[in-house]
Amino acid sequence: MKQDPNISKSLGPGAKLERMKAASLRLGGEPVSHGDHVLVVGDAAGMIDPMTGEGIHHAMEAGKMAAKFIQEAMHHGNYDKDVMKLYHDAWMDKFGSDFKWSFAICQLLYRFPILLDAATAAIARKGDKFLAAWADIMTGRVPKIHLLRPEFVIVITFELVSLIIKRSLGIEKKREKKLE
């Protein structure tokens, strides 16, 4: 990087470069994201959805929450661990519980991959509006529990039954052979 004229100019003459470091990521929320005078946000707090790997939306949301919380703590002059726990409880209430749903859905999809095929078929059949609603859920903008709403359950169940019938009758395999 020091050899590149643009980068070296941006870094300045006294820049110290360190070796890249790595750490494992925590998925699904850490049990503690606070301490005396400390709030933890983003990857460090495990704000990564176990199903999608999405974390930016959660980190940004928690960052806003932390900023407001710090402002309030500064106003009262109290940064004790017990007070900082209120931040942890707030983000867990807002989106942390969604991680449990993601984990459960992952386990279900691992055990029954045909459900993912049914969801894919539903998205293909229902179009852009259904895909947009699905994307809102997968990116964490809308809680995963919304997958239990009738507009998803009925459509995906229909596709699931359809796939099971087609596969048991061998219809899907015949169609695949025609495509080859």
Side-chain angles (χ1 to χ4, degrees):
M1 286 201 300
K2 285 187 176 184
Q3 286 74 27
D4 183 288
N6 295 318
I7 293 176
S8 62
K9 183 178 178 182
S10 296
L11 292 174
K16 292 181 182 179
L17 299 179
E18 295 182 16
R19 288 181 52 93
M20 209 166 27
K21 298 174 185 172
S24 57
L25 296 174
R26 301 290 180 238
L27 303 177
E30 283 292 298
V32 177
S33 63
H34 64 283
D36 283 328
H37 298 261
V38 174
L39 296 179
V40 183
V41 178
D43 290 354
M47 294 177 182
I48 303 168
D49 189 303
M51 183 164 79
T52 64
E54 166 62 34
I56 293 171
H57 175 76
H58 301 304
M60 290 171 48
E61 194 70 35
K64 286 188 239 174
M65 293 171 74
K68 288 178 183 175
F69 189 83
I70 290 169
Q71 208 172 25
E72 190 68 24
M74 288 173 67
H75 177 72
H76 294 285
N78 187 351
Y79 310 95
D80 293 341
K81 182 179 181 177
D82 293 339
V83 173
M84 296 294 171
K85 185 180 184 311
L86 296 173
Y87 155 78
H88 178 83
D89 295 341
W91 77 257
M92 286 300 279
D93 286 344
K94 181 149 187 161
F95 57 83
S97 61
D98 202 42
F99 297 148
K100 291 177 182 78
W101 279 103
S102 287
F103 185 70
I105 292 167
C106 281
Q107 290 179 319
L108 190 66
L109 292 174
Y110 180 76
R111 187 154 184 199
F112 305 103
I114 193 170
L115 291 171
L116 195 54
D117 297 338
T120 304
I123 291 168
R125 186 172 62 82
K126 294 294 282 182
D128 292 344
K129 187 175 178 183
F130 190 85
L131 176 58
W134 181 270
D136 280 344
I137 294 169
M138 291 302 122
T139 58
R141 287 176 25 92
V142 175
K144 299 284 184 305
I145 198 165
H146 285 220
L147 288 172
L148 297 178
R149 288 188 167 179
E151 60 265 29
F152 289 104
V153 171
I154 292 170
V155 172
I156 292 172
T157 302
F158 172 82
E159 294 297 340
L160 177 63
V161 171
S162 177
L163 280 171
I164 291 169
I165 292 169
K166 287 176 184 175
R167 288 180 183 178
S168 65
L169 296 175
I171 295 171
E172 193 171 271
K173 292 183 192 259
K174 290 175 187 174
R175 193 186 70 164
E176 287 174 7
K177 285 182 183 179
K178 286 181 184 178
L179 294 174
E180 292 173 354

